[in-house]
């Protein structure tokens, strides 16, 4: 995977299962936060899957769209592009009604010292969206950061385990879940909460962070010695297919790959693929942010691309000089300060 058209095809090619699920989902789809990291690829995938399902549903892609090129790409693909700041009450009220809502809006990086605005985006805004779309079906993206750090040999936290967010970002994300759940229960709104841990594609994700460090000759810190990651295309599919599982009370799902992966070993594999020596620093801690996604895999199958596939994809992309998004995961952060 070395070119942008190849990547777009990989991300926008739906599985037969997704097409079948969307065939049973009635009504239009509103995607809030459509210009974020995963928003454009998710919108493209939804458009293609709905077309293959024979659906006439409209996909409304909503964002502030600071990058006009992204808006143009989505419009050309068939989305109804709406440039709007959904934190504005009038703009939110003016959005089209729809039977299905994908909520991707969130704030994480650069929020240290600006915690009040982060809480407004991550916890207050979701409640207003839930009120606006109380008659819809809502799938909201959350994060595995709502869990505490767990033993690396544990297999990760499951949906049945107690939450324990570390730091204000993680607490605000739990706040998002609680506010959405409250509003959904009050109005009988079907809701799915998707706790995603580290999606990867050639332009961003843990492997891109590691690959860029290796190419720059920087040592890789392995203190956070184990991680979960998952192919972005699979993550998009699960988010869309979760529309059929939204429920009252809320449906909660961990979304990541099935493996607990060694940071050191990932760096070594990337180094080999990039043809570079790898230096490491630190010593593996006994705990990490890890999730057990067995429920996800039972419902939706396993990701089509393995970690080794993703290592190869990222290495090929970086060596070809492919554009990367300057959005590091900061997965090594252990105190919750982003």
């Amino acid at each position: 995977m070395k070119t942008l058209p190849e990547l777009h095809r990989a991300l926008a090619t739906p599985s037969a299962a997704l097409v079948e699920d969307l065939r049973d989902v009635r009504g239009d789809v509103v995607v809030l936060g459509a210009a974020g990291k995963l928003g454009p690829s998710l919108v493209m995938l939804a458009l293609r899957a709905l077309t293959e399902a024979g659906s006439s549903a409209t996909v409304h892609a909503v964002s502030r769209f600071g990058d006009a090129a992204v808006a143009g790409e989505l419009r050309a693909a068939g989305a109804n592009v709406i440039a709007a700041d959904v934190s504005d009450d009038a703009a939110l009220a003016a959005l089209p009604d729809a039977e299905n809502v994908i909520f991707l809006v969130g704030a994480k990086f650069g929020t240290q010292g600006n915690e009040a605005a982060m809480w407004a985006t991550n916890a207050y805004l979701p409640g207003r969206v839930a009120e606006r779309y109380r008659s819809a079906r809502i799938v909201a993206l959350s994060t595995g950061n709502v869990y505490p750090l767990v033993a690396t040999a544990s297999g990760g936290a499951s949906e049945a385990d107690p939450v324990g967010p570390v730091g204000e970002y993680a607490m605000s994300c739990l706040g998002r879940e609680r506010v959405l759940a409250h509003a959904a229960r009050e109005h009988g709104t079907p809701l799915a909460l998707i706790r995603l841990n580290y999606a990867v594609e050639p332009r961003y994700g843990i492997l891109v962070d590691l690959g860029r460090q290796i190419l720059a000759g920087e040592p890789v810190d392995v203190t956070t010695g184990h991680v979960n990651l998952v192919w972005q295309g699979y993550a998009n599919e699960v988010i869309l297919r979760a529309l059929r599982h939204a429920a009252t009370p809320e449906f909660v799902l961990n979304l990541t790959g099935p493996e607990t992966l060694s940071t050191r070993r990932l760096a070594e594999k990337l180094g080999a693929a990039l043809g570079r020596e790898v230096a490491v620093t630190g010593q593996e801690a006994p705990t990490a942010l890890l999730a057990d996604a067995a429920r996800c895999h039972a419902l939706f199958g396993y990701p089509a691309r393995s970690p080794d596939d993703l290592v190869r994809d990222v290495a090929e992309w970086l060596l070809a000089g492919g554009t990367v998004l300057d959005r590091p995961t900061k997965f090594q952060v252990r105190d919750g300060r982003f």
Side-chain angles (χ1 to χ4, degrees):
M1 196 178 299
K2 299 179 182 180
T3 68
L4 197 56
E6 288 177 337
L7 175 58
H8 283 167
R9 281 194 297 273
L11 289 170
T13 300
S15 68
L18 173 60
V19 172
E20 189 61 30
D21 276 357
L22 290 191
R23 187 174 286 121
D24 292 336
V25 172
R26 304 301 178 188
D28 292 348
V29 180
V30 167
V31 180
L32 303 177
K37 285 192 300 185
L38 64 86
S41 60
L42 183 142
V43 170
M44 294 283 196
L45 180 66
L47 288 165
R48 177 81 175 272
L50 286 166
T51 296
E52 293 191 16
S55 172
S56 60
T58 298
V59 177
H60 305 282
V62 182
S63 176
R64 286 174 291 189
F65 286 108
D67 186 346
V70 173
E73 289 173 359
L74 296 183
R75 188 178 292 111
N80 177 34
V81 172
I82 302 171
D85 181 353
V86 295
S87 67
D88 178 82
D89 287 336
L92 181 60
L95 294 180
D97 293 334
E99 291 86 344
N100 307 285
V101 175
I102 307 292
F103 184 72
L104 305 176
V105 180
K108 181 177 184 180
F109 302 122
T111 52
Q112 188 70 24
N114 197 24
E115 289 82 2
M118 176 181 66
W119 278 88
T121 298
N122 289 349
Y124 176 59
L125 176 60
R128 292 158 64 197
V129 168
E131 289 291 329
R132 167 65 181 84
Y133 286 105
R134 64 172 68 185
S135 299
R137 181 187 296 108
I138 300 175
V139 175
L141 189 64
S142 185
T143 171
N145 286 89
V146 299
Y147 295 117
L149 303 182
V150 298
T152 57
S154 68
S158 77
E159 296 89 348
D161 289 333
V163 293
V166 177
E168 282 210 52
Y169 163 69
M171 287 190 281
S172 73
C173 293
L174 181 58
R176 170 172 53 214
E177 290 192 9
R178 298 299 194 227
V179 169
L180 283 169
H182 169 73
R185 293 180 187 192
E186 285 286 299
H187 304 306
T189 305
L191 172 66
L193 297 170
I194 309 299
R195 294 171 175 168
L196 174 62
N197 269 24
Y198 297 122
V200 171
E201 54 118 298
R203 294 171 297 180
Y204 69 85
I206 287 176
L207 298 179
V208 175
D209 296 346
L210 292 175
R212 294 180 77 184
Q213 282 185 280
I214 293 166
L215 287 173
E218 299 171 358
V220 173
D221 187 348
V222 297
T223 305
T224 297
H226 295 82
V227 296
N228 296 135
L229 53 80
V230 68
W231 162 235
Q232 181 66 73
Y234 177 82
N236 289 343
E237 287 233 354
V238 169
I239 291 167
L240 290 169
R241 294 182 67 189
L243 284 166
R244 288 196 62 201
H245 296 267
T248 306
E250 63 278 3
F251 170 75
V252 179
L253 188 73
N254 291 343
L255 170 52
T256 194
E259 305 93 349
T260 297
L261 299 166
S262 161
T263 304
R264 185 186 297 264
R265 185 66 182 131
L266 285 173
E268 291 171 348
K269 288 183 176 182
L270 272 168
L274 293 167
R276 298 295 181 91
E277 293 292 327
V278 178
V280 300
T281 185
Q283 185 62 43
E284 287 86 346
T287 60
L289 182 68
L290 298 168
D292 177 352
R295 183 183 192 189
C296 177
H297 305 140
L299 287 170
F300 302 114
Y302 288 95
R305 302 188 81 78
S306 71
D308 285 346
D309 293 330
L310 298 174
V311 166
R312 183 181 63 252
D313 291 343
V314 168
E316 289 180 350
W317 187 266
L318 293 177
L319 289 173
T323 301
V324 298
L325 305 180
D326 192 20
R327 297 174 182 177
T329 60
K330 299 189 178 181
F331 76 94
Q332 297 100 333
V333 172
R334 298 177 61 81
D335 62 4
R337 296 182 181 182
F338 298 100

